[in-house]
Amino acid sequence: MTKFTSYFQLRGYLYAREQELKADFKFQELEQLWDCTGKNVKLRLKRLQEQGRIVYIPGRGRGNASSITFSRPLSEELEHEVNQLIQLEQLDEVMQLLQIGLPFPLYQQIFEKVQAFLGFQTAANKKDVLRAVVYKEIYSIDPRYISTSFECFLVMHLGDPLVLYDSSTDTIKPHIAHAWKKDQEGKNWTLYLRKGVMFHHHRELVSEDVQFTFERFRDSSLPNYWITENIASITCISPYIITFRLHKPNPLFLRYLSWYALVILPRDVPFAENKFISTGPFRMKDRQESKLALEVFDRHFLPRPFLDEAHFYPIANERHFGMKYEITENDYDSYHTNVTVGVRFIVFNFHKRPSIVHNCFFREAIYHLFDIEKMALALGRDAITPAYSYFAKRSHPIRKDRDKVAELIKKSGYQGEEISFVYKIRTFEPDVAWFVQQAEEVGIRIRPMYSSACHEVQDDQADLIMGRDVGSDDLLSFLDWFYNQSLLSQRTGLVHHWKQVEIHLDHIKFENDEEKRKVRMNELEAYIRKNFLLLYVDHPIEQNGFNTMMKDIHLDRFGFLDMRKLWLDEKQDCQQVEDG
């Protein structure tokens, strides 16, 4: 941590109160800000005053405000500090400054300087290194608990599942398992494992490791429990042969085995968040609060990636989403791609009682009020993909009828009570503000509340919640959307409708015929739309910027770079950076 972090925390906290470099505050505020005792607060203030950064005047009498006068404007001090850190190539410490709650214009001031360090660069020792900022905190990379798209991205590069699913051909490809067979009933599946698959700690993978990995999910309280709940037993026939017995025949079983959560872990090493050991093409080199570094695993059983290292800098920034690679001002040296990722939605909190959202007429009124095309026009947005379904490829423009709203509100029995509307991503703010205005015009009082890891509002306080699922346009993502206990669709509860929804899901999971399965999925979504159990809003379009010397760019199911294939065109000029 930079030695001046606490000082810049103070500047960011008091920035809105500053008048001619002076700000008033209560002493207890700094105890909470710095999470320390009053004695330590006094010591820090004394040290800052000795350094000439502040003039501190304590409040006279108990409870009276104290004041601080700063010696220089915050923008000047940040400029000086960041320039020094960049000259020393201490990018980790610059990233820490981005996480201390600075006002957005000052955040942008720092980030513009960071951009030159992002992207795919060749280090002085000839290593090819990818550096990227990730606008997301990393909560856990334990496969049992992962829920964010970036956590999934990391696990898929650190580990390997038994088989792979190729969405372009809708086929299963061999991976750790090179062959498989099932019995006539479809309950017993036998998989044959490759020899010579090595873990990062240089032990060979055998069937007992596969068994251990799946047994870790044998807890019904786990978010990803649903993916293994149909497994009745696992038998290790030999070091390279393993048999799964299912409770019910499942034609999708191999698809389940390709799921990102089921990367194989070693049975002889306790799982550790900061030392992820598996078999993937990359292994964890370093994990700190402000940086996560991966390095290539030379003994991976598939051809070695060209990339040597990848450094990720997680930032819980509320105004961005996804990942930031290199950005250049010269359009000739960069290009952009647009990709539709996931779905944005509004769920109704059926756990909250009393709440008007239990009334179907009221939910239908909300459906017609939130007209995404009308909103896009009002907010000046060009590229939108309205969502009619979880799947972007099945969605199409939807006609909303504002004229129905007044009668629906009347039928619902709404009496003017306040409706709390929680939104999970700061960039949703303009959309929510637009909707609040639409609701006011028809007599619905809505109180918007932002909720994140930094500004947490309990979901059980909400009537409506707007969120986003960054799953792929894929059957398993669809099932996960309903079953994963960490996702909003589960946490808000479908209550009286869940039994009917679960019947549809069972038909989807165990249907042998692909076309009939699609019909079953359409029937489930039709049931959801008919009862307005949740509202699909749109399929967000993400833009990524890449330097032209980055070759073989492939995006994964979540819109992130596939680092297995990426390489650098050495014919072009490469920025030299010190290895660190």
Side-chain angles (χ1 to χ4, degrees):
M1 179 173 290
T2 172
K3 59 184 177 180
F4 296 125
T5 297
S6 60
Y7 171 68
F8 286 111
Q9 282 179 323
L10 176 67
R11 292 299 308 258
Y13 181 73
L14 295 178
Y15 184 78
R17 306 181 198 178
E18 274 191 37
Q19 296 289 333
E20 297 181 350
L21 300 181
K22 182 180 179 182
D24 295 332
F25 65 95
K26 294 290 181 68
F27 197 77
Q28 292 80 2
E29 291 181 89
L30 300 195
E31 291 178 348
Q32 295 177 0
L33 176 67
W34 287 333
D35 191 23
C36 63
T37 64
K39 180 179 179 180
N40 284 330
V41 169
K42 291 178 182 178
L43 287 173
R44 290 191 185 190
L45 292 174
K46 180 182 178 182
R47 192 177 302 121
L48 291 173
Q49 189 155 260
E50 290 171 348
Q51 293 167 354
R53 288 180 173 262
I54 68 170
V55 174
Y56 165 56
I57 302 176
R60 294 184 178 180
R62 186 176 180 84
N64 291 325
S66 302
S67 70
I68 285 179
T69 302
F70 298 104
S71 60
R72 298 167 63 190
L74 176 55
S75 59
E76 289 182 13
E77 295 208 278
L78 275 173
E79 181 91 9
H80 175 75
E81 179 75 6
V82 171
N83 284 342
Q84 282 195 324
L85 292 173
I86 287 178
Q87 286 177 5
L88 296 171
E89 295 194 5
Q90 295 177 348
L91 190 58
D92 298 9
E93 296 197 5
V94 177
M95 293 299 176
Q96 289 172 14
L97 289 176
L98 290 174
Q99 304 209 51
I100 62 175
L102 294 171
F104 186 64
L106 298 178
Y107 171 95
Q108 286 288 84
Q109 174 185 326
I110 296 177
F111 193 77
E112 287 173 3
K113 294 180 176 295
V114 170
Q115 288 180 10
F117 284 84
L118 302 182
F120 199 177
Q121 302 169 342
T122 300
N125 61 1
K126 300 302 181 182
K127 285 187 176 181
D128 289 333
V129 181
L130 176 70
R131 286 172 169 166
V133 168
V134 182
Y135 297 117
K136 198 75 176 175
E137 288 186 275
I138 302 172
Y139 300 107
S140 175
I141 53 174
D142 184 335
R144 295 179 300 175
Y145 300 103
I146 53 174
S147 59
T148 72
S149 55
F150 183 63
E151 290 165 0
C152 299
F153 162 83
L154 287 175
V155 167
M156 288 189 293
H157 282 87
L158 289 166
D160 294 291
L162 291 171
V163 296
L164 297 178
Y165 172 67
D166 185 343
S167 59
S168 63
T169 59
D170 191 29
T171 56
I172 298 295
K173 303 289 188 182
H175 200 51
I176 287 178
H178 67 85
W180 51 84
K181 67 180 181 180
K182 64 176 179 177
D183 65 4
Q184 189 171 4
E185 190 180 10
K187 283 188 176 182
N188 292 289
W189 289 77
T190 300
L191 283 86
Y192 300 87
L193 309 181
R194 291 178 186 262
K195 293 183 178 182
V197 175
M198 304 301 292
F199 285 111
H200 297 155
H201 66 319
H202 302 290
R203 179 177 66 73
E204 187 184 23
L205 179 150
V206 292
S207 59
E208 285 84 357
D209 298 302
V210 176
Q211 183 180 37
F212 166 79
T213 297
F214 281 77
E215 292 293 345
R216 292 181 81 238
F217 287 83
R218 296 288 202 184
D219 181 347
S220 60
S221 67
L222 293 172
N224 289 311
Y225 169 72
W226 71 272
I227 200 76
T228 61
E229 66 177 334
N230 188 41
I231 297 175
S233 63
I234 304 172
T235 304
C236 296
I237 307 299
S238 77
Y240 307 108
I241 303 174
I242 190 166
T243 296
F244 294 86
R245 179 164 180 79
L246 309 182
H247 292 293
K248 296 171 63 175
N250 183 359
L252 296 174
F253 181 63
L254 290 176
R255 288 280 296 274
Y256 281 33
L257 297 186
S258 72
W259 193 235
Y260 56 80
L262 295 180
V263 298
I264 306 304
L265 302 180
R267 68 189 186 282
D268 57 335
V269 180
F271 180 84
E273 291 278 354
N274 62 347
K275 197 175 181 180
F276 191 108
I277 295 178
S278 185
T279 63
F282 293 88
R283 63 183 177 184
M284 191 173 292
K285 179 181 180 182
D286 183 33
R287 183 176 180 184
Q288 305 171 25
E289 185 177 351
S290 59
K291 176 184 175 181
L292 189 149
L294 308 184
E295 64 182 353
V296 72
F297 179 48
D298 287 318
R299 297 193 65 184
H300 191 251
F301 61 91
L302 293 181
R304 183 194 190 280
F306 293 95
L307 186 64
D308 295 299
E309 293 187 10
H311 298 175
F312 301 104
Y313 301 91
I315 297 178
N317 184 277
E318 300 161 355
R319 300 174 185 269
H320 293 85
F321 191 88
M323 188 183 294
K324 190 85 158 182
Y325 310 100
E326 182 176 17
I327 296 179
T328 62
E329 295 180 0
N330 187 341
D331 290 337
Y332 179 79
D333 292 329
S334 65
Y335 67 95
H336 295 83
T337 63
N338 293 327
V339 58
T340 301
V341 180
V343 64
R344 194 160 56 134
F345 57 84
I346 296 173
V347 293
F348 301 99
N349 185 8
F350 293 110
H351 285 313
K352 183 177 180 179
R353 289 185 179 276
S355 174
I356 190 65
V357 300
H358 291 276
N359 186 285
C360 189
F361 291 122
F362 185 83
R363 299 197 300 272
E364 186 178 356
I366 298 296
Y367 166 81
H368 287 291
L369 263 182
F370 207 108
D371 188 330
I372 185 67
E373 293 185 270
K374 183 178 178 181
M375 184 199 75
L377 186 64
L379 299 180
R381 294 179 188 162
D382 297 325
I384 62 163
T385 306
Y388 180 75
S389 164
Y390 178 88
F391 301 96
K393 60 189 175 185
R394 297 186 188 179
S395 286
H396 54 76
I398 314 140
R399 184 180 177 276
K400 302 291 184 76
D401 192 345
R402 174 70 176 262
D403 293 337
K404 292 182 177 181
V405 172
E407 182 63 23
L408 289 167
I409 294 173
K410 183 178 179 181
K411 287 181 178 180
S412 75
Y414 174 69
Q415 298 296 315
E417 61 267 33
E418 185 177 73
I419 305 299
S420 60
F421 188 1
V422 166
Y423 54 104
K424 293 291 187 178
I425 300 174
R426 179 70 82 181
T427 51
F428 294 173
E429 207 162 72
D431 308 54
V432 173
W434 174 86
F435 177 66
V436 168
Q437 181 181 0
Q438 300 299 303
E440 285 177 354
E441 291 176 4
V442 295
I444 298 177
R445 292 195 305 122
I446 290 183
R447 177 165 62 100
M449 297 186 294
Y450 172 60
S451 175
S452 72
C454 302
H455 303 82
E456 188 170 2
V457 175
Q458 295 299 320
D459 292 339
D460 59 12
Q461 299 176 24
D463 297 287
L464 311 175
I465 304 174
M466 177 182 277
R468 176 177 175 178
D469 184 60
V470 195
S472 59
D473 207 11
D474 175 82
L475 171 59
L476 291 193
S477 289
F478 182 72
L479 294 175
D480 191 55
W481 161 247
F482 288 100
Y483 283 122
N484 192 315
Q485 297 175 40
S486 69
L487 301 183
L488 275 173
S489 48
Q490 266 285 335
R491 297 207 311 270
T492 53
L494 296 174
V495 191
H496 301 303
H497 294 271
W498 177 247
K499 287 185 177 179
Q500 189 61 40
V501 169
E502 196 167 31
I503 290 172
H504 284 288
L505 290 171
D506 278 347
H507 287 319
I508 293 168
K509 288 191 299 183
F510 299 113
E511 176 57 63
N512 281 291
D513 185 272
E514 178 67 23
E515 291 305 314
K516 289 182 179 178
R517 185 181 300 118
K518 290 178 181 178
V519 171
R520 296 292 193 181
M521 293 167 72
N522 289 336
E523 288 173 350
L524 172 55
E525 292 208 299
Y527 179 81
I528 288 169
R529 286 190 292 266
K530 177 182 177 181
N531 292 280
F532 303 97
L533 301 182
L534 61 87
L535 309 180
Y536 296 125
V537 177
D538 64 346
H539 300 284
I541 299 172
E542 296 294 332
Q543 184 180 83
N544 291 310
F546 303 104
N547 193 286
T548 52
M549 59 186 177
M550 297 166 67
K551 303 300 181 182
D552 275 355
I553 290 176
H554 298 268
L555 301 181
D556 68 13
R557 66 180 75 178
F558 304 109
F560 293 133
L561 279 174
D562 184 345
M563 299 191 301
R564 297 170 180 83
K565 301 174 182 178
L566 187 66
W567 61 281
L568 188 66
D569 185 353
E570 296 182 359
K571 292 182 180 179
Q572 301 196 37
D573 292 334
C574 303
Q575 181 177 356
Q576 297 293 310
V577 298
E578 294 297 326
D579 182 42

